[in-house]
Short mmCIF file of all heavy atoms in Angstrom, two decimals:
data_model
loop_
_atom_site.label_atom_id
_atom_site.label_comp_id
_atom_site.label_asym_id
_atom_site.label_seq_id
_atom_site.Cartn_x
_atom_site.Cartn_y
_atom_site.Cartn_z
N GLN A 76 138.14 111.90 165.50
CA GLN A 76 138.92 112.40 164.38
C GLN A 76 139.27 113.86 164.61
O GLN A 76 138.49 114.62 165.16
CB GLN A 76 138.11 112.26 163.07
CG GLN A 76 137.75 110.84 162.73
CD GLN A 76 138.99 109.99 162.50
OE1 GLN A 76 139.92 110.41 161.83
NE2 GLN A 76 139.01 108.81 163.08
N PRO A 77 140.45 114.27 164.16
CA PRO A 77 140.82 115.68 164.33
C PRO A 77 139.99 116.57 163.42
O PRO A 77 139.55 116.14 162.35
CB PRO A 77 142.30 115.71 163.92
CG PRO A 77 142.48 114.53 163.05
CD PRO A 77 141.50 113.50 163.54
N SER A 78 139.79 117.80 163.85
CA SER A 78 139.08 118.76 163.00
C SER A 78 140.01 119.15 161.86
O SER A 78 141.22 118.91 161.89
CB SER A 78 138.70 120.00 163.82
OG SER A 78 139.88 120.71 164.16
N TRP A 79 139.45 119.83 160.86
CA TRP A 79 140.31 120.24 159.75
C TRP A 79 141.32 121.28 160.22
O TRP A 79 142.44 121.33 159.69
CB TRP A 79 139.48 120.73 158.57
CG TRP A 79 138.65 121.95 158.81
CD1 TRP A 79 137.37 122.00 159.27
CD2 TRP A 79 139.06 123.30 158.63
NE1 TRP A 79 136.96 123.29 159.38
CE2 TRP A 79 137.98 124.12 158.99
CE3 TRP A 79 140.23 123.91 158.20
CZ2 TRP A 79 138.03 125.49 158.94
CZ3 TRP A 79 140.28 125.28 158.14
CH2 TRP A 79 139.19 126.06 158.51
N GLU A 80 140.96 122.07 161.24
CA GLU A 80 141.92 123.04 161.77
C GLU A 80 143.11 122.32 162.39
O GLU A 80 144.27 122.70 162.22
CB GLU A 80 141.27 123.96 162.81
CG GLU A 80 140.25 124.92 162.25
CD GLU A 80 138.83 124.41 162.41
OE1 GLU A 80 138.62 123.19 162.62
OE2 GLU A 80 137.91 125.24 162.33
N GLN A 81 142.83 121.24 163.15
CA GLN A 81 143.90 120.47 163.77
C GLN A 81 144.78 119.80 162.71
O GLN A 81 145.99 119.71 162.87
CB GLN A 81 143.32 119.42 164.72
CG GLN A 81 142.67 120.02 165.95
CD GLN A 81 141.83 119.00 166.70
OE1 GLN A 81 141.23 118.11 166.12
NE2 GLN A 81 141.77 119.17 168.02
N GLU A 82 144.16 119.34 161.63
CA GLU A 82 144.91 118.73 160.54
C GLU A 82 145.90 119.73 159.94
O GLU A 82 147.06 119.41 159.71
CB GLU A 82 143.98 118.22 159.44
CG GLU A 82 143.18 116.99 159.82
CD GLU A 82 144.00 115.72 159.74
OE1 GLU A 82 145.08 115.70 159.13
OE2 GLU A 82 143.55 114.72 160.32
N TRP A 83 145.45 120.97 159.69
CA TRP A 83 146.33 121.99 159.15
C TRP A 83 147.47 122.30 160.11
O TRP A 83 148.62 122.46 159.69
CB TRP A 83 145.55 123.28 158.85
CG TRP A 83 144.87 123.24 157.52
CD1 TRP A 83 143.55 123.00 157.28
CD2 TRP A 83 145.47 123.43 156.24
NE1 TRP A 83 143.29 123.02 155.94
CE2 TRP A 83 144.46 123.29 155.27
CE3 TRP A 83 146.76 123.70 155.82
CZ2 TRP A 83 144.71 123.41 153.91
CZ3 TRP A 83 147.01 123.83 154.46
CH2 TRP A 83 145.99 123.69 153.52
N GLU A 84 147.16 122.38 161.39
CA GLU A 84 148.20 122.66 162.39
C GLU A 84 149.25 121.57 162.40
O GLU A 84 150.44 121.83 162.60
CB GLU A 84 147.57 122.84 163.77
CG GLU A 84 146.80 124.14 163.91
CD GLU A 84 146.08 124.25 165.24
OE1 GLU A 84 146.41 123.48 166.18
OE2 GLU A 84 145.19 125.10 165.34
N ASP A 85 148.83 120.32 162.17
CA ASP A 85 149.78 119.21 162.13
C ASP A 85 150.81 119.38 161.01
O ASP A 85 151.91 118.86 161.08
CB ASP A 85 149.05 117.88 161.96
CG ASP A 85 148.28 117.46 163.20
OD1 ASP A 85 148.51 118.06 164.27
OD2 ASP A 85 147.44 116.55 163.10
N PHE A 86 150.43 120.11 159.96
CA PHE A 86 151.34 120.35 158.84
C PHE A 86 152.02 121.71 158.94
O PHE A 86 152.60 122.19 157.97
CB PHE A 86 150.57 120.23 157.51
CG PHE A 86 150.18 118.82 157.20
CD1 PHE A 86 148.89 118.40 157.42
CD2 PHE A 86 151.10 117.91 156.73
CE1 PHE A 86 148.51 117.09 157.14
CE2 PHE A 86 150.75 116.60 156.44
CZ PHE A 86 149.45 116.19 156.65
N GLY A 87 151.94 122.33 160.12
CA GLY A 87 152.62 123.60 160.32
C GLY A 87 151.87 124.80 159.80
O GLY A 87 152.41 125.89 159.72
N GLU A 88 150.63 124.61 159.38
CA GLU A 88 149.82 125.71 158.87
C GLU A 88 148.84 126.14 159.94
O GLU A 88 148.37 125.33 160.75
CB GLU A 88 149.04 125.27 157.63
CG GLU A 88 149.90 124.80 156.49
CD GLU A 88 150.61 125.95 155.80
OE1 GLU A 88 150.13 127.08 155.85
OE2 GLU A 88 151.67 125.68 155.19
N VAL A 89 148.51 127.40 159.96
CA VAL A 89 147.51 127.91 160.89
C VAL A 89 146.44 128.61 160.08
O VAL A 89 146.75 129.50 159.27
CB VAL A 89 148.13 128.88 161.93
CG1 VAL A 89 147.05 129.44 162.83
CG2 VAL A 89 149.19 128.16 162.73
N TYR A 90 145.22 128.22 160.28
CA TYR A 90 144.11 128.83 159.57
C TYR A 90 143.62 130.04 160.35
O TYR A 90 143.47 129.98 161.55
CB TYR A 90 142.96 127.83 159.37
CG TYR A 90 141.75 128.47 158.76
CD1 TYR A 90 141.67 128.66 157.39
CD2 TYR A 90 140.70 128.92 159.55
CE1 TYR A 90 140.57 129.26 156.82
CE2 TYR A 90 139.59 129.51 158.98
CZ TYR A 90 139.54 129.69 157.62
OH TYR A 90 138.46 130.29 157.05
N SER A 91 143.35 131.11 159.64
CA SER A 91 142.82 132.30 160.28
C SER A 91 141.86 132.97 159.32
O SER A 91 142.09 133.01 158.10
CB SER A 91 143.95 133.26 160.64
OG SER A 91 143.40 134.47 161.12
#
Side-chain angles (χ1 to χ4, degrees):
Q76 299 297 315
S78 69
W79 63 270
E80 292 98 341
Q81 292 167 327
E82 288 282 344
W83 276 102
E84 288 175 17
D85 289 347
F86 290 102
E88 301 287 334
V89 177
Y90 174 82
S91 173

